[in-house]
Structure formats: structure tokens, C-alpha cells
Amino acid sequence: MMNLIERFKAREVKAKDVFYVAKVDKKTAREMVKKYHYLGEKDFMYTVAYGLHTKDNDELLGCAIFGVVGGSIALKGWFGVDNKHSDEYLELTRLVMSPNLNGCNATSYLLGNAIKQIKKELPSVRAIISLADNGLHNGAIYQACNFKYYGLTDRKTDFFVMGCEGKVKRCGSTKDKQGVWLPRSQKHRYLYIIDKDVQVKYQEEKYPKGNGMNVKPTCCDGTKVVYDKRYGKYYTCPKCSSVFRELTKEEVENHLNKNN
């Protein structure tokens, strides 16, 4: 006999009969991100988080995390306001779900119900931003939850420096430093408007088509190898590899052959 989740995935029962959505603390939210999100332990802004729990055994299977919008530049770009209005806007900083629930509407159920609770519990919030990496997906979940679409962020590049404070990270000055310039992933801009009087500076556009999956990373075309033409050196891709280091010619060939 199928359990409740299997019956839900087979569309025999509805999400509301299997799950409930309730607040979770930051520690619990962080554990879910580490477990299921591709950004792993990378920090995120947190104001409030909601979890998707099973009704039968109270298992936590997903989490929607909301934080303040990232700085005055973002607020000004979106709405033409400064940090004095920061409590009026939230950003969906992480959205995670157990892989066991891929391909069903559990994520939209979580996000939709989280927004309903925000409307009741945080009445000052006028709109919710979400950014979807166009190298990973087109934001179909936001389309399903009635977010409006405002195109892609501008094209930008970052310089990744070898040995910058002992970490793989972006650094400002690039003079006489070994490293590589790589294109930054563009993001699809989505916005859920709560207060209909919100003024948005970006132009609304039609939803992007398709699911956007299986797109090769713009940093290295999926090879995990990048090239610095200034010094004629090859490195592991700092965006796709856990270690950023110089590669020998033999290692470059092995990487390219492995990923072809």
C-alpha cells in the first residue's frame, strides 16, 4: 500500500491533506539549506522562514526563507526607495525541498502558504522579491505562484583571485594578481506584489519559456576549466569546483575529455 506522500505524488490526495506549513527558526532553516540547497553553507539573509511538514509524522521536507532586500542599491533599483523603507519589502533568499518531492506541486504549496502567512503576520510588507539563476532554471515555481516577471539582471563579471584570504572569493583590485575574470550569472527578476500601490521601476515582461534546466554554466561551459589569457594559465573553475588551483596541461586534457 502506498504511503501518503506516494499517493500525493500520484495525485490521489491533495497537498492540504498531506502537509501543513508553519514557521521554523533560523537554525532549522539553515540545516535544511545545508542538506538540500546547491549553495550549501553559504550564508543568507533571514527575517522569517516557513517549513513544509507532513501531517502524519511531522517530518520537515521543505523550507522557504525570507530576508531583507540586499541593500539600498537593490531597493532603489526595484522601487526607487532607500533603506528607510527596508521593512516594507522582503526577498526570498532560499527555497529548498526534499528531492523526493521533485516534479509535484509541494514547492508551490509551501511558497503560496508561506506568503499567505506573511500577509497576516507581517502587515508592513508590500512586496516580495525573488531572483532565479538563469543558468539553473527559469523560475517556473514563481510563475505558478503568480509572481510578476521583470526580465534579467544586467550582465556583469567578477575577478576570482588565487589565495584571496585563503578562500575562493571575489576581490576588488586585480593588478598583478593571478586569477580569472568570469561572467556573473544573470538572474530572472520576479516580484510578488501584496500592496497594489507599489511602484516598480523595472518593466514587466512576459514569463520566460521552458524550465531552463540543463543549461551549461556560463563560467566554464560545464568543463570545470577556465583560462587566464593574461598569463596563459588554466585553472579549475572557481564557481564550479571546491578548490581553485592552477592545472597542468595533462590535467586540462583530462578535465576536457571527462566533460565532453
Side-chain angles (χ1 to χ4, degrees):
M1 182 181 294
M2 291 192 295
N3 62 30
L4 264 180
I5 289 181
E6 289 172 337
R7 291 181 62 200
F8 164 68
K9 292 169 68 175
R11 300 188 178 184
E12 294 181 3
V13 294
K14 296 181 178 180
K16 66 179 182 179
D17 299 320
V18 184
F19 308 110
Y20 72 94
V21 175
K23 275 185 182 178
V24 295
D25 59 29
K26 187 174 183 180
K27 180 180 178 182
T28 301
R30 187 181 298 279
E31 289 172 354
M32 290 294 291
V33 170
K34 288 169 63 176
K35 187 174 182 180
Y36 293 126
H37 201 276
Y38 72 96
L39 290 176
E41 297 187 9
K42 186 175 180 180
D43 200 13
F44 51 83
M45 300 299 289
Y46 169 89
T47 299
V48 66
Y50 299 90
L52 182 79
H53 308 256
T54 55
K55 287 186 173 181
D56 57 351
N57 59 6
D58 207 31
E59 182 181 6
L60 180 61
L61 294 176
C63 194
I65 304 165
F66 302 84
V68 295
V69 178
S72 59
I73 293 176
L75 282 172
K76 191 171 184 63
W78 271 99
F79 310 109
V81 301
D82 57 26
N83 280 340
K84 294 178 182 178
H85 299 269
S86 61
D87 64 335
E88 297 176 10
Y89 305 95
L90 286 177
E91 182 174 342
L92 180 64
T93 55
R94 294 289 187 274
L95 181 62
V96 295
M97 185 61 64
S98 167
N100 187 40
L101 290 172
N102 286 344
C104 60
N105 70 340
T107 307
S108 59
Y109 182 79
L110 164 61
L111 182 55
N113 279 274
I115 291 173
K116 285 181 182 178
Q117 294 189 40
I118 286 173
K119 289 178 180 179
K120 294 178 181 179
E121 298 166 1
L122 298 172
S124 66
V125 175
R126 304 179 68 197
I128 300 169
I129 292 169
S130 189
L131 300 175
D133 192 318
N134 77 324
L136 298 173
H137 60 102
N138 283 340
I141 184 65
Y142 310 124
Q143 297 177 23
C145 290
N146 297 316
F147 280 65
K148 294 181 181 296
Y149 179 66
Y150 294 91
L152 287 165
T153 56
D154 295 337
R155 295 182 183 274
K156 294 182 180 180
T157 56
D158 295 303
F159 189 75
F160 288 81
V161 181
M162 290 288 293
C164 182
E165 297 181 10
K167 299 178 181 179
V168 177
K169 64 175 290 184
R170 302 180 181 93
C171 286
S173 176
T174 64
K175 187 177 180 180
D176 301 325
K177 290 183 178 179
Q178 287 193 44
V180 288
W181 282 100
L182 295 176
R184 187 184 298 181
S185 296
Q186 288 180 275
K187 305 293 194 300
H188 293 287
R189 299 189 190 102
Y190 284 93
L191 182 68
Y192 188 92
I193 296 175
I194 297 172
D195 181 349
K196 304 304 180 184
D197 291 329
V198 165
Q199 299 295 312
V200 184
K201 305 293 285 185
Y202 298 120
Q203 183 68 39
E204 185 178 356
E205 299 181 17
K206 293 182 179 179
Y207 287 146
K209 301 290 186 180
N211 59 20
M213 301 301 287
N214 300 318
V215 177
K216 286 186 177 181
T218 55
C219 47
C220 62
D221 290 329
T223 64
K224 296 187 178 180
V225 174
V226 292
Y227 179 67
D228 176 21
K229 62 182 180 181
R230 299 174 311 153
Y231 296 103
K233 293 182 178 181
Y234 288 91
Y235 303 96
T236 55
C237 177
K239 297 178 73 173
C240 298
S241 305
S242 58
V243 178
F244 183 28
R245 66 180 180 84
E246 186 178 346
L247 294 170
T248 65
K249 289 184 178 180
E250 182 179 357
E251 287 177 318
V252 171
E253 292 176 359
N254 288 338
H255 266 279
L256 296 180
N257 290 332
K258 183 178 179 181
N259 290 283
N260 280 340

XYZ file of all heavy atoms in Angstrom, residues 131-208:
644
model
N 14.940 36.114 -6.993
C 15.836 36.089 -8.139
C 16.164 34.646 -8.479
O 16.590 33.882 -7.616
C 17.124 36.859 -7.829
C 16.952 38.338 -7.486
C 18.293 38.950 -7.080
C 16.361 39.106 -8.660
N 15.969 34.266 -9.745
C 16.214 32.895 -10.188
C 17.417 32.880 -11.123
O 17.430 33.590 -12.130
C 14.981 32.341 -10.911
N 18.430 32.095 -10.783
C 19.648 31.988 -11.593
C 19.308 31.409 -12.960
O 18.838 30.277 -13.061
C 20.655 31.092 -10.868
C 22.047 31.157 -11.470
O 22.149 31.167 -12.715
O 23.021 31.165 -10.708
N 19.573 32.178 -14.030
C 19.173 31.700 -15.358
C 20.036 30.557 -15.860
O 19.725 29.942 -16.877
C 19.174 32.857 -16.379
C 20.575 33.242 -16.844
O 21.534 33.205 -16.054
N 20.706 33.613 -18.092
N 21.121 30.241 -15.154
C 21.908 29.070 -15.506
C 21.359 27.794 -14.901
O 21.842 26.703 -15.199
N 20.347 27.933 -14.057
C 19.785 26.767 -13.377
C 18.309 26.545 -13.712
O 17.882 25.411 -13.906
C 19.945 26.918 -11.859
C 21.380 27.010 -11.335
C 21.388 27.323 -9.851
C 22.140 25.716 -11.618
N 17.526 27.630 -13.758
C 16.094 27.467 -14.051
C 15.494 28.810 -14.429
O 16.139 29.859 -14.275
C 15.356 26.865 -12.846
C 15.427 27.692 -11.602
N 14.388 28.490 -11.174
C 16.410 27.861 -10.688
C 14.718 29.089 -10.046
N 15.955 28.734 -9.727
N 14.274 28.778 -14.926
C 13.588 29.995 -15.358
C 12.588 30.533 -14.344
O 11.873 31.486 -14.630
C 12.853 29.745 -16.684
C 13.799 29.748 -17.869
O 14.899 30.282 -17.784
N 13.382 29.156 -18.972
N 12.510 29.898 -13.185
C 11.607 30.399 -12.158
C 10.174 29.947 -12.330
O 9.247 30.684 -11.992
N 9.979 28.729 -12.834
C 8.619 28.235 -13.066
C 7.791 28.217 -11.787
O 6.576 28.441 -11.821
C 8.669 26.830 -13.674
N 8.442 27.992 -10.643
C 7.714 27.953 -9.380
C 7.099 29.315 -9.067
O 5.987 29.412 -8.539
C 8.654 27.498 -8.226
C 7.882 27.364 -6.917
C 9.818 28.448 -8.056
C 6.844 26.280 -6.947
N 7.797 30.393 -9.429
C 7.280 31.737 -9.173
C 6.139 32.068 -10.133
O 5.190 32.753 -9.753
C 8.401 32.764 -9.284
C 9.608 32.362 -8.473
C 10.860 32.231 -9.056
C 9.478 32.062 -7.122
C 11.957 31.826 -8.311
C 10.571 31.657 -6.374
C 11.807 31.535 -6.976
O 12.885 31.120 -6.230
N 6.239 31.559 -11.325
C 5.150 31.739 -12.281
C 3.891 31.048 -11.766
O 2.784 31.587 -11.855
C 5.566 31.178 -13.638
C 6.758 31.899 -14.257
C 7.207 31.285 -15.570
O 6.437 30.608 -16.256
N 8.469 31.504 -15.933
N 4.073 29.838 -11.195
C 2.935 29.090 -10.662
C 2.303 29.790 -9.462
O 1.117 29.594 -9.174
C 3.375 27.675 -10.274
N 3.094 30.610 -8.757
C 2.601 31.303 -7.562
C 2.232 32.756 -7.842
O 2.116 33.565 -6.918
C 3.650 31.226 -6.455
S 3.860 29.562 -5.767
N 2.066 33.096 -9.126
C 1.557 34.417 -9.538
C 2.506 35.578 -9.242
O 2.073 36.707 -9.016
C 0.191 34.692 -8.902
C -0.860 33.702 -9.375
O -0.942 33.388 -10.561
N -1.653 33.200 -8.438
N 3.812 35.315 -9.239
C 4.775 36.406 -9.224
C 4.759 37.074 -10.599
O 4.525 36.422 -11.620
C 6.191 35.883 -8.968
C 6.508 35.586 -7.524
C 5.843 34.584 -6.833
C 7.506 36.279 -6.867
C 6.154 34.285 -5.515
C 7.831 35.999 -5.548
C 7.145 34.994 -4.875
N 5.045 38.367 -10.646
C 5.226 39.062 -11.904
C 6.701 38.977 -12.308
O 7.576 38.822 -11.449
C 4.779 40.523 -11.796
C 3.269 40.688 -11.573
C 2.884 42.143 -11.511
C 1.390 42.322 -11.261
N 0.569 41.796 -12.371
N 6.970 39.103 -13.612
C 8.327 38.926 -14.131
C 8.864 40.241 -14.688
O 8.160 40.945 -15.426
C 8.328 37.850 -15.223
C 9.678 37.616 -15.847
C 10.724 37.081 -15.100
C 9.917 37.923 -17.186
C 11.967 36.859 -15.658
C 11.164 37.691 -17.759
C 12.181 37.161 -16.987
O 13.433 36.945 -17.550
N 10.131 40.556 -14.341
C 10.726 41.827 -14.748
C 12.082 41.652 -15.427
O 12.995 42.461 -15.245
C 10.847 42.743 -13.529
C 9.492 43.149 -12.983
C 8.868 42.388 -11.991
C 8.815 44.263 -13.476
C 7.621 42.741 -11.504
C 7.565 44.617 -12.993
C 6.971 43.854 -12.011
O 5.731 44.192 -11.541
N 12.215 40.598 -16.230
C 13.413 40.442 -17.051
C 14.635 39.982 -16.280
O 14.568 39.567 -15.120
N 15.798 40.080 -16.948
C 17.069 39.621 -16.391
C 17.874 40.778 -15.806
O 17.785 41.911 -16.272
C 17.908 38.942 -17.470
C 17.472 37.556 -17.935
C 18.183 37.195 -19.230
C 17.772 36.507 -16.859
N 18.671 40.470 -14.789
C 19.615 41.447 -14.258
C 20.677 41.747 -15.311
O 20.857 40.997 -16.275
C 20.296 40.916 -12.987
O 20.931 39.656 -13.277
C 19.292 40.725 -11.861
N 21.408 42.845 -15.137
C 22.437 43.249 -16.093
C 23.588 42.241 -16.116
O 23.864 41.565 -15.110
C 22.994 44.627 -15.730
C 21.949 45.724 -15.843
O 20.968 45.530 -16.596
O 22.114 46.757 -15.174
N 24.284 42.185 -17.265
C 25.473 41.340 -17.377
C 26.632 41.972 -16.598
O 26.914 43.161 -16.749
C 25.876 41.162 -18.847
C 24.846 40.399 -19.669
C 25.324 40.226 -21.104
N 24.336 39.566 -21.913
C 24.190 38.237 -22.015
N 25.023 37.451 -21.340
N 23.264 37.706 -22.775
N 27.300 41.167 -15.776
C 28.454 41.641 -15.011
C 29.514 40.549 -14.949
O 29.227 39.379 -15.203
C 28.034 42.029 -13.581
C 27.091 43.225 -13.513
C 26.752 43.569 -12.073
C 25.804 44.772 -12.015
N 25.455 45.117 -10.619
N 30.743 40.951 -14.618
C 31.824 39.976 -14.447
C 32.472 40.180 -13.082
O 32.416 41.270 -12.503
C 32.895 40.119 -15.541
O 33.395 41.465 -15.532
C 32.333 39.786 -16.917
N 33.104 39.117 -12.580
C 33.824 39.161 -11.310
C 35.220 38.600 -11.517
O 35.422 37.687 -12.342
C 33.118 38.322 -10.247
C 31.745 38.870 -9.888
O 31.677 40.039 -9.477
O 30.758 38.141 -10.035
N 36.179 39.135 -10.753
C 37.548 38.614 -10.810
C 37.776 37.716 -9.608
O 37.661 38.149 -8.458
C 38.565 39.760 -10.815
C 39.975 39.305 -11.085
C 40.370 38.956 -12.357
C 40.892 39.207 -10.048
C 41.658 38.528 -12.610
C 42.186 38.778 -10.288
C 42.585 38.439 -11.574
N 38.099 36.457 -9.869
C 38.373 35.491 -8.809
C 39.884 35.368 -8.641
O 40.603 35.082 -9.601
C 37.758 34.134 -9.150
C 36.259 34.111 -9.055
C 35.474 34.601 -10.092
C 35.629 33.617 -7.923
C 34.097 34.587 -10.012
C 34.243 33.613 -7.835
C 33.481 34.099 -8.875
N 40.363 35.585 -7.424
C 41.790 35.677 -7.147
C 42.301 34.425 -6.452
O 41.672 33.912 -5.524
C 42.080 36.907 -6.256
C 43.574 37.026 -5.977
C 41.570 38.168 -6.916
N 43.457 33.951 -6.924
C 44.108 32.826 -6.256
C 44.576 33.253 -4.864
O 45.225 34.284 -4.696
C 45.331 32.380 -7.068
C 44.990 31.697 -8.383
S 44.322 30.049 -8.120
C 45.758 29.211 -7.467
N 44.192 32.474 -3.851
C 44.683 32.707 -2.497
C 44.185 33.965 -1.836
O 44.823 34.499 -0.941
N 43.034 34.471 -2.252
C 42.490 35.688 -1.644
C 41.957 35.365 -0.253
O 40.903 34.753 -0.106
C 41.382 36.257 -2.521
S 40.677 37.785 -1.891
N 42.727 35.733 0.783
C 42.375 35.461 2.181
C 42.137 33.977 2.421
O 41.349 33.588 3.278
C 41.130 36.268 2.585
C 41.332 37.775 2.531
C 40.100 38.539 2.945
O 39.154 37.913 3.451
O 40.070 39.755 2.766
N 42.831 33.152 1.630
C 42.734 31.715 1.819
C 41.435 31.111 1.363
O 41.154 29.954 1.621
N 40.613 31.896 0.644
C 39.321 31.392 0.202
C 39.116 31.675 -1.279
O 39.760 32.541 -1.854
C 38.185 32.055 0.991
C 38.224 31.807 2.489
C 37.089 32.548 3.159
C 37.116 32.352 4.668
N 36.029 33.089 5.342
N 38.213 30.921 -1.885
C 37.772 31.243 -3.232
C 36.741 32.342 -3.108
O 35.663 32.141 -2.568
C 37.151 30.011 -3.930
C 36.635 30.395 -5.306
C 38.172 28.886 -4.045
N 37.078 33.542 -3.564
C 36.139 34.648 -3.411
C 36.432 35.732 -4.445
O 37.483 35.747 -5.066
C 36.199 35.221 -2.004
C 37.538 35.849 -1.638
C 37.486 36.508 -0.280
C 36.635 37.747 -0.267
N 36.663 38.438 1.030
N 35.485 36.643 -4.599
C 35.684 37.795 -5.460
C 36.527 38.826 -4.720
O 36.331 39.055 -3.537
C 34.347 38.425 -5.849
C 33.400 37.483 -6.553
C 32.102 38.211 -6.898
N 31.159 37.316 -7.550
C 30.221 36.629 -6.922
N 30.110 36.728 -5.613
N 29.398 35.843 -7.584
N 37.458 39.466 -5.421
C 38.265 40.520 -4.821
C 38.229 41.757 -5.704
O 38.018 41.659 -6.912
C 39.710 40.065 -4.638
S 39.931 38.886 -3.293
N 38.465 42.920 -5.123
C 38.377 44.168 -5.854
C 39.519 44.402 -6.815
O 39.380 44.298 -8.028
N 40.709 44.706 -6.300
C 41.851 45.026 -7.147
C 42.390 43.775 -7.831
O 42.528 42.713 -7.216
C 42.951 45.663 -6.299
O 44.099 45.883 -7.089
N 42.710 43.886 -9.129
C 43.191 42.720 -9.889
C 44.633 42.882 -10.369
O 45.189 41.960 -10.956
C 42.302 42.486 -11.127
O 42.414 43.613 -12.005
C 40.851 42.294 -10.720
N 45.243 44.056 -10.134
C 46.584 44.321 -10.641
C 47.607 43.351 -10.061
O 47.699 43.159 -8.851
C 46.997 45.756 -10.321
C 48.323 46.165 -10.956
C 48.645 47.620 -10.650
C 49.960 48.017 -11.290
N 50.300 49.436 -10.993
N 48.373 42.716 -10.957
C 49.449 41.790 -10.578
C 48.961 40.587 -9.768
O 49.741 39.961 -9.041
C 50.548 42.517 -9.783
C 51.171 43.651 -10.576
O 51.301 43.503 -11.809
O 51.514 44.673 -9.969
N 47.677 40.267 -9.857
C 47.151 39.111 -9.136
C 46.787 38.008 -10.116
O 46.226 38.266 -11.181
C 45.911 39.493 -8.314
C 46.216 40.387 -7.129
C 44.971 40.662 -6.318
C 45.301 41.527 -5.102
N 44.096 41.843 -4.304
N 47.116 36.784 -9.743
C 46.726 35.647 -10.568
C 45.255 35.322 -10.307
O 44.813 35.286 -9.166
C 47.577 34.422 -10.245
C 48.999 34.506 -10.746
C 49.685 33.156 -10.686
O 49.116 32.138 -11.059
N 50.913 33.148 -10.190
N 44.541 35.065 -11.373
C 43.132 34.750 -11.246
C 42.441 34.859 -12.588
O 43.110 34.958 -13.627
N 41.123 34.851 -12.573
C 40.365 34.880 -13.827
C 39.130 35.766 -13.696
O 38.510 35.851 -12.634
C 39.910 33.461 -14.256
C 41.070 32.636 -14.744
C 39.185 32.752 -13.123
N 38.815 36.459 -14.803
C 37.551 37.163 -14.928
C 36.506 36.189 -15.432
O 36.728 35.502 -16.426
C 37.674 38.319 -15.929
C 38.356 39.535 -15.395
C 39.650 39.903 -15.600
C 37.779 40.543 -14.569
N 39.927 41.072 -14.952
C 38.790 41.501 -14.313
C 36.514 40.738 -14.026
C 38.565 42.631 -13.531
C 36.286 41.857 -13.248
C 37.298 42.789 -13.009
N 35.370 36.114 -14.746
C 34.297 35.219 -15.161
C 32.966 35.958 -15.164
O 32.728 36.817 -14.304
C 34.191 34.010 -14.216
C 35.385 33.056 -14.190
C 35.156 31.977 -13.146
C 35.618 32.431 -15.557
N 32.097 35.633 -16.117
C 30.784 36.284 -16.136
C 29.949 35.857 -14.935
O 29.948 34.690 -14.554
C 30.158 35.790 -17.447
C 30.869 34.507 -17.750
C 32.263 34.670 -17.227
N 29.285 36.818 -14.347
C 28.364 36.536 -13.243
C 27.049 36.033 -13.831
O 26.587 36.535 -14.853
C 28.115 37.801 -12.436
C 27.307 37.600 -11.165
C 27.019 38.923 -10.483
N 28.244 39.595 -10.075
C 28.256 40.766 -9.440
N 27.109 41.382 -9.159
N 29.401 41.331 -9.106
N 26.456 35.050 -13.205
C 25.166 34.541 -13.683
C 24.132 35.648 -13.649
O 24.024 36.374 -12.659
C 24.688 33.373 -12.823
O 25.564 32.283 -12.916
N 23.368 35.775 -14.731
C 22.250 36.705 -14.693
C 21.098 36.064 -13.930
O 20.976 34.835 -13.867
C 21.801 37.057 -16.111
C 22.763 37.965 -16.855
C 22.269 38.276 -18.259
O 22.502 37.507 -19.186
N 21.582 39.389 -18.405
N 20.266 36.902 -13.353
C 19.142 36.414 -12.566
C 17.824 36.873 -13.189
O 17.701 38.010 -13.648
C 19.221 36.934 -11.131
C 20.528 36.627 -10.399
C 20.703 35.153 -10.153
C 21.800 34.865 -9.138
N 23.132 35.372 -9.538
N 16.855 35.968 -13.203
C 15.494 36.351 -13.560
C 14.879 37.105 -12.379
O 14.936 36.629 -11.241
C 14.641 35.114 -13.861
C 15.059 34.369 -15.092
N 14.831 34.842 -16.356
C 15.684 33.175 -15.234
C 15.286 33.975 -17.240
N 15.816 32.961 -16.586
N 14.299 38.264 -12.648
C 13.677 39.061 -11.588
C 12.184 38.721 -11.469
O 11.432 38.870 -12.439
C 13.790 40.556 -11.882
C 15.195 41.118 -11.997
C 15.090 42.632 -12.073
N 16.329 43.277 -12.422
C 16.622 43.750 -13.636
N 15.736 43.622 -14.622
N 17.771 44.343 -13.870
N 11.783 38.298 -10.292
C 10.372 38.027 -10.012
C 9.924 38.848 -8.806
O 10.711 39.118 -7.894
C 10.146 36.547 -9.731
C 10.166 35.675 -10.971
C 11.343 35.062 -11.394
C 9.012 35.477 -11.721
C 11.360 34.264 -12.535
C 9.024 34.685 -12.861
C 10.197 34.084 -13.259
O 10.209 33.307 -14.399
N 8.649 39.218 -8.810
C 8.111 40.025 -7.707
C 6.665 39.627 -7.421
O 5.829 39.599 -8.324
C 8.161 41.515 -8.075
C 7.677 42.488 -6.997
C 8.647 42.492 -5.817
C 7.540 43.897 -7.565
N 6.403 39.342 -6.142
C 5.028 39.112 -5.699
C 4.550 40.397 -5.038
O 5.087 40.830 -4.009
C 4.944 37.947 -4.711
C 3.525 37.569 -4.379
C 2.866 36.580 -5.101
C 2.827 38.223 -3.355
C 1.546 36.240 -4.811
C 1.522 37.892 -3.066
C 0.885 36.901 -3.802
O -0.429 36.578 -3.519
N 3.539 41.018 -5.618
C 3.044 42.300 -5.122
C 1.866 42.069 -4.167
O 0.870 41.452 -4.537
C 2.614 43.209 -6.288
C 3.841 43.544 -7.153
C 1.972 44.486 -5.774
C 3.514 44.335 -8.400
N 2.028 42.553 -2.942
C 0.964 42.478 -1.935
C 0.153 43.771 -1.944
O -1.074 43.749 -1.970
C 1.564 42.203 -0.545
C 2.269 40.836 -0.544
C 0.475 42.253 0.525
C 3.049 40.538 0.719
N 0.861 44.892 -1.900
C 0.216 46.206 -1.946
C 0.149 46.659 -3.412
O 1.180 46.914 -4.040
C 1.036 47.204 -1.122
C 0.422 48.598 -1.092
O -0.516 48.858 -1.867
O 0.910 49.426 -0.292
N -1.033 46.752 -3.937
C -1.216 47.080 -5.358
C -0.710 48.468 -5.714
O -0.558 48.792 -6.902
C -2.695 46.950 -5.748
C -3.300 45.580 -5.463
C -2.511 44.470 -6.138
C -3.129 43.106 -5.831
N -2.320 41.995 -6.390
N -0.441 49.313 -4.712
C 0.060 50.662 -4.980
C 1.582 50.716 -5.104
O 2.157 51.790 -5.332
C -0.378 51.622 -3.866
C -1.886 51.875 -3.879
O -2.474 51.830 -4.978
O -2.462 52.095 -2.801
N 2.252 49.575 -4.947
C 3.710 49.534 -5.093
C 4.103 49.964 -6.504
O 3.543 49.482 -7.493
C 4.252 48.111 -4.811
C 5.683 47.965 -5.319
C 4.201 47.821 -3.317
N 5.082 50.860 -6.585
C 5.600 51.326 -7.868
C 6.896 50.580 -8.175
O 7.841 50.639 -7.396
C 5.856 52.837 -7.818
C 4.611 53.673 -7.552
C 3.596 53.575 -8.682
O 3.933 53.707 -9.856
N 2.344 53.330 -8.315
N 6.939 49.888 -9.301
C 8.109 49.100 -9.689
C 8.847 49.822 -10.806
O 8.243 50.208 -11.812
C 7.698 47.684 -10.159
C 8.933 46.838 -10.456
C 6.830 47.009 -9.102
N 10.169 49.994 -10.637
C 10.953 50.749 -11.606
C 11.270 49.942 -12.867
O 11.485 50.505 -13.934
C 12.269 51.218 -10.965
C 12.094 52.008 -9.678
C 11.436 53.343 -9.917
C 12.409 54.330 -10.553
N 11.814 55.679 -10.685
N 11.326 48.619 -12.723
C 11.615 47.772 -13.886
C 10.352 47.574 -14.725
O 9.226 47.682 -14.223
C 12.157 46.412 -13.453
C 13.472 46.493 -12.702
C 13.585 46.011 -11.399
C 14.598 47.050 -13.287
C 14.783 46.085 -10.709
C 15.809 47.132 -12.600
C 15.893 46.650 -11.306
O 17.076 46.729 -10.628
N 10.561 47.229 -15.993
C 9.449 46.997 -16.903
C 8.985 45.552 -16.806
O 9.790 44.632 -16.922
C 9.875 47.301 -18.350
C 8.772 47.162 -19.380
C 7.688 48.217 -19.234
O 7.970 49.376 -18.957
N 6.440 47.815 -19.407
N 7.705 45.342 -16.597
C 7.188 43.972 -16.556
C 7.291 43.329 -17.938
O 7.070 43.977 -18.964
C 5.737 43.952 -16.089
C 5.179 42.543 -15.903
C 3.751 42.513 -15.391
O 3.194 43.593 -15.104
O 3.194 41.393 -15.289
N 7.649 42.049 -17.965
C 7.813 41.322 -19.220
C 7.048 39.995 -19.164
O 6.576 39.576 -18.108
C 9.303 41.035 -19.481
C 10.157 42.288 -19.608
C 11.618 41.965 -19.895
O 11.908 40.809 -20.320
O 12.467 42.848 -19.689
N 6.947 39.339 -20.308
C 6.317 38.021 -20.363
C 7.217 36.996 -19.683
O 8.447 37.117 -19.697
C 6.068 37.610 -21.817
C 5.019 38.459 -22.533
C 4.810 37.948 -23.959
C 3.740 38.771 -24.664
N 3.525 38.300 -26.063
N 6.598 35.968 -19.111
C 7.370 34.906 -18.473
C 8.323 34.252 -19.474
O 7.950 34.024 -20.637
C 6.443 33.814 -17.944
C 5.653 34.170 -16.702
C 4.365 33.661 -16.526
C 6.185 34.967 -15.694
C 3.629 33.953 -15.384
C 5.456 35.264 -14.557
C 4.183 34.754 -14.398
O 3.460 35.042 -13.275
N 9.547 33.893 -19.048
C 10.441 33.127 -19.923
C 9.880 31.728 -20.139
O 9.257 31.142 -19.248
C 11.753 33.089 -19.139
C 11.357 33.297 -17.711
C 10.153 34.199 -17.748
